[in-house]
Amino acid sequence: MDYDAMDGLEEAGPRVTVREVNPPVPSPSLSYTKRRVTNIPFLAFQASAHHVDFTLSNVDLAFANSLRRIMLAEIPTLAIDLVEVEANTSVLADEFIAHRLGLIPLTSKGVDDLAFTRDCDCDQYCEHCSITLTLHARCTGDEIMKVYARDLVLAEGRPNEFVGHPVITDPEGLGSVIVKLRKGQEIRLKCVAKKGIAKEHSKWAPTASVGFEYDPHNRLRHVDYWYEEDAAKEWPKTKNAAWEEAPQEGEPFQYDAEPKGFYFEVESVGLLEPDAVVQQAIKVMQQKLAKVIQELTGDGGEGRGGMNGEAGGGTGLSPDGIHGTGDGYMDQGYTTPYVNGGGASTWGGGGGATPFGATPYGQNGWAG
């Protein structure tokens, strides 16, 4: 992914350094440029097609771990979610083939142009929230026929030219094996790919693994190594130790020290480019934080923002209006900030101000 070069970046604030797997040796031929991923500056070295190695600094442990968790489970991607089998005379059951199809990675570049099915007005799926692929294969020869991911055919109506293609990385360009057919056997089906996140199912996971480490020299003593004779020999340092200065012999322990740099290794499965995974994770984190700020400041649009994503008065669940009926349940009981106005609270039940100020993501409600 290409980024526009940025000059004169400030050193304060979160910082991402994308680096080579091996620490660069000072050389006149080695060069790097200052660039920007969203609002975070970083020094760009090299990243492979499926792997990126970077250092996150000027943040605390909670922020770094939140970014790791988002990269693992909360980046929207595309995967086959519904299979309509028209004919299947192979030895594999329909459910078995549907499971294998769901695990075939599909390119998710430009997936933001698709809506989540739960947010779409259609009954089950449509061109605004899904992409259709078809598969039809029949063995007419005596040899066993293998059906590959490359045999999936994209239908018309995609939101852009990038999204939906099966990810094929093998040298032959075949992709994953879906099923094997013998003479006379046939398979004909339609696949519906939908947008989702790995919290719902692992088939939407954009990464194969996310490595995470800090304090490789164990200055903070967060790890107590068990050893028999020599801890230094029995617990060799990781490659990330080369990016920090080793502690001196007899150096005093600093009880108030905190980790300053976090070393990430992100391996993509091919749905998104690895640097796009990092960028999308930062975007998702910004959106989640913006929603929290809006809830705290009372900028929830109609009503109070509500629980479980409900916005507007009378739509939350409480004893004085079950399911927003407003008829009451037994007696009036109590009111909440989410129904019929509720009581004012420190966080904006009555529109009170907070130290967080207004969110830059919109004054009149959360745009998901």
Side-chain angles (χ1 to χ4, degrees):
M1 178 170 292
D2 297 330
Y3 306 105
D4 295 331
M6 305 292 289
D7 295 328
L9 298 179
E10 298 179 358
E11 296 297 330
R15 183 184 180 91
V16 178
T17 303
V18 180
R19 53 194 175 85
E20 298 179 24
V21 176
N22 297 320
V25 179
S27 170
S29 61
L30 179 63
S31 61
Y32 61 87
T33 57
K34 290 187 177 180
R35 303 178 184 269
R36 186 180 296 272
V37 176
T38 62
N39 294 325
I40 299 181
F42 70 97
L43 301 179
F45 285 97
Q46 294 179 358
S48 66
H50 300 286
H51 183 274
V52 65
D53 190 11
F54 68 92
T55 303
L56 179 65
S57 56
N58 295 345
V59 298
D60 58 10
L61 180 58
F63 184 99
N65 191 51
S66 298
L67 185 65
R68 179 190 67 87
R69 291 171 62 91
I70 290 175
M71 284 190 287
L72 284 171
E74 295 191 56
I75 297 177
T77 59
L78 189 71
I80 294 174
D81 191 52
L82 180 64
V83 179
E84 299 177 358
V85 180
E86 300 178 11
N88 176 25
T89 57
S90 70
V91 297
L92 297 183
D94 295 350
E95 296 81 2
F96 199 105
I97 296 177
H99 180 265
R100 293 179 66 85
L101 289 168
L103 298 179
I104 294 177
L106 304 177
T107 54
S108 300
K109 182 179 181 181
V111 74
D112 290 339
D113 295 336
L114 278 178
F116 285 101
T117 302
R118 57 178 174 269
D119 299 330
C120 192
D121 296 331
C122 64
D123 292 334
Q124 190 175 22
Y125 62 88
C126 66
E127 62 180 5
H128 301 294
C129 63
S130 66
I131 291 176
T132 302
L133 302 94
T134 59
L135 177 63
H136 184 199
R138 179 182 177 87
C139 181
T140 57
D142 296 331
E143 298 293 330
I144 294 178
M145 175 184 176
K146 295 182 180 179
V147 182
Y148 295 94
R150 69 169 184 181
D151 299 318
L152 289 168
V153 180
L154 279 166
E156 299 293 334
R158 289 185 297 152
N160 56 66
E161 61 179 334
F162 306 107
V163 67
H165 292 279
V167 176
I168 299 175
T169 58
D170 58 292
E172 294 79 12
L174 302 176
S176 306
V177 177
I178 300 174
V179 66
K180 295 180 181 180
L181 303 177
R182 297 199 68 175
K183 186 175 182 178
Q185 294 180 342
E186 179 185 11
I187 183 170
R188 185 170 65 253
L189 49 82
K190 181 173 74 171
C191 307
V192 179
K194 297 182 180 181
K195 181 179 176 180
I197 60 176
K199 270 189 173 182
E200 304 172 38
H201 194 282
S202 59
K203 65 185 177 183
W204 279 295
T207 56
S209 63
V210 178
F212 175 79
E213 184 186 18
Y214 67 92
D215 188 27
H217 292 289
N218 199 28
R219 290 175 180 268
L220 305 178
R221 311 288 174 82
H222 286 183
V223 178
D224 185 13
Y225 294 115
W226 179 91
Y227 62 95
E228 295 180 345
E229 297 179 359
D230 189 350
K233 293 181 179 180
E234 298 174 22
W235 293 94
K237 304 297 182 183
T238 66
K239 61 183 180 182
N240 295 322
W243 293 86
E244 292 188 9
E245 184 179 354
Q248 301 296 325
E249 185 71 22
E251 179 179 309
F253 176 65
Q254 298 181 4
Y255 291 91
D256 57 348
E258 296 181 355
K260 298 180 180 178
F262 303 90
Y263 304 96
F264 284 82
E265 291 185 28
V266 180
E267 183 180 355
S268 171
V269 297
L271 306 178
L272 294 169
E273 296 175 351
D275 53 341
V277 171
V278 180
Q279 185 178 9
Q280 289 296 318
I282 296 172
K283 179 181 177 181
V284 171
M285 179 177 288
Q286 288 177 329
Q287 292 173 342
K288 293 167 75 73
L289 292 176
K291 187 172 183 178
V292 172
I293 293 174
Q294 282 188 324
E295 293 292 337
L296 296 181
T297 56
D299 282 341
E302 298 180 0
R304 293 292 180 265
M307 296 181 66
N308 299 326
E310 300 288 349
T315 57
L317 303 180
S318 72
D320 64 305
I322 299 298
H323 294 287
T325 60
D327 297 329
Y329 179 74
M330 301 295 287
D331 56 16
Q332 290 300 312
Y334 60 90
T335 60
T336 73
Y338 303 102
V339 179
N340 299 331
S345 67
T346 307
W347 304 109
T354 73
F356 298 96
T359 171
Y361 294 91
Q363 299 296 327
N364 298 320
W366 168 250

